[in-house]
Short mmCIF file of all heavy atoms in Angstrom, two decimals:
data_model
loop_
_atom_site.label_atom_id
_atom_site.label_comp_id
_atom_site.label_asym_id
_atom_site.label_seq_id
_atom_site.Cartn_x
_atom_site.Cartn_y
_atom_site.Cartn_z
N VAL A 73 95.30 101.46 90.85
CA VAL A 73 94.86 100.24 91.52
C VAL A 73 93.55 99.77 90.90
O VAL A 73 92.67 100.58 90.61
CB VAL A 73 94.63 100.50 93.03
CG1 VAL A 73 94.26 99.23 93.75
CG2 VAL A 73 95.84 101.15 93.66
N SER A 74 93.41 98.45 90.72
CA SER A 74 92.10 97.89 90.38
C SER A 74 91.68 96.97 91.51
O SER A 74 92.51 96.32 92.15
CB SER A 74 92.12 97.15 89.04
OG SER A 74 92.86 95.95 89.13
N VAL A 75 90.40 96.95 91.79
CA VAL A 75 89.86 96.14 92.88
C VAL A 75 89.03 95.00 92.30
O VAL A 75 88.57 95.08 91.17
CB VAL A 75 89.00 97.00 93.84
CG1 VAL A 75 89.85 98.04 94.53
CG2 VAL A 75 87.84 97.66 93.12
N PRO A 76 88.83 93.92 93.07
CA PRO A 76 88.05 92.81 92.55
C PRO A 76 86.58 93.21 92.35
O PRO A 76 86.03 93.96 93.16
CB PRO A 76 88.18 91.72 93.62
CG PRO A 76 88.61 92.43 94.86
CD PRO A 76 89.33 93.66 94.41
N GLY A 77 85.98 92.71 91.29
CA GLY A 77 84.60 93.05 90.99
C GLY A 77 83.58 92.05 91.51
O GLY A 77 82.40 92.34 91.56
N GLN A 78 84.05 90.86 91.93
CA GLN A 78 83.12 89.82 92.37
C GLN A 78 82.38 90.25 93.63
O GLN A 78 82.96 90.80 94.56
CB GLN A 78 83.87 88.51 92.68
CG GLN A 78 84.68 87.95 91.53
CD GLN A 78 86.11 88.43 91.54
OE1 GLN A 78 86.36 89.63 91.51
NE2 GLN A 78 87.07 87.52 91.54
N ALA A 79 81.08 89.99 93.67
CA ALA A 79 80.24 90.39 94.81
C ALA A 79 80.74 89.77 96.11
O ALA A 79 80.73 90.42 97.15
CB ALA A 79 78.79 89.99 94.56
N VAL A 80 81.22 88.54 96.05
CA VAL A 80 81.68 87.86 97.26
C VAL A 80 82.92 88.54 97.86
O VAL A 80 83.20 88.41 99.04
CB VAL A 80 81.95 86.36 96.96
CG1 VAL A 80 83.16 86.18 96.07
CG2 VAL A 80 82.09 85.57 98.25
N LEU A 81 83.64 89.31 97.06
CA LEU A 81 84.84 90.01 97.54
C LEU A 81 84.57 91.49 97.86
O LEU A 81 85.50 92.28 98.01
CB LEU A 81 85.96 89.88 96.51
CG LEU A 81 86.42 88.46 96.21
CD1 LEU A 81 87.50 88.44 95.14
CD2 LEU A 81 86.90 87.76 97.47
N ALA A 82 83.31 91.84 97.99
CA ALA A 82 82.93 93.24 98.27
C ALA A 82 83.60 93.81 99.52
O ALA A 82 84.00 94.98 99.50
CB ALA A 82 81.42 93.36 98.36
N PRO A 83 83.76 93.05 100.61
CA PRO A 83 84.43 93.63 101.79
C PRO A 83 85.88 94.06 101.49
O PRO A 83 86.33 95.10 101.97
CB PRO A 83 84.41 92.50 102.82
CG PRO A 83 83.21 91.68 102.43
CD PRO A 83 83.19 91.73 100.93
N ARG A 84 86.60 93.27 100.70
CA ARG A 84 87.96 93.66 100.32
C ARG A 84 87.95 94.93 99.47
O ARG A 84 88.76 95.83 99.67
CB ARG A 84 88.63 92.54 99.52
CG ARG A 84 88.93 91.32 100.32
CD ARG A 84 89.58 90.27 99.45
NE ARG A 84 89.68 89.03 100.21
CZ ARG A 84 90.10 87.90 99.72
NH1 ARG A 84 90.48 87.83 98.45
NH2 ARG A 84 90.16 86.83 100.46
#
Side-chain angles (χ1 to χ4, degrees):
V73 183
S74 70
V75 296
Q78 303 91 303
V80 70
L81 298 178
R84 291 180 188 174

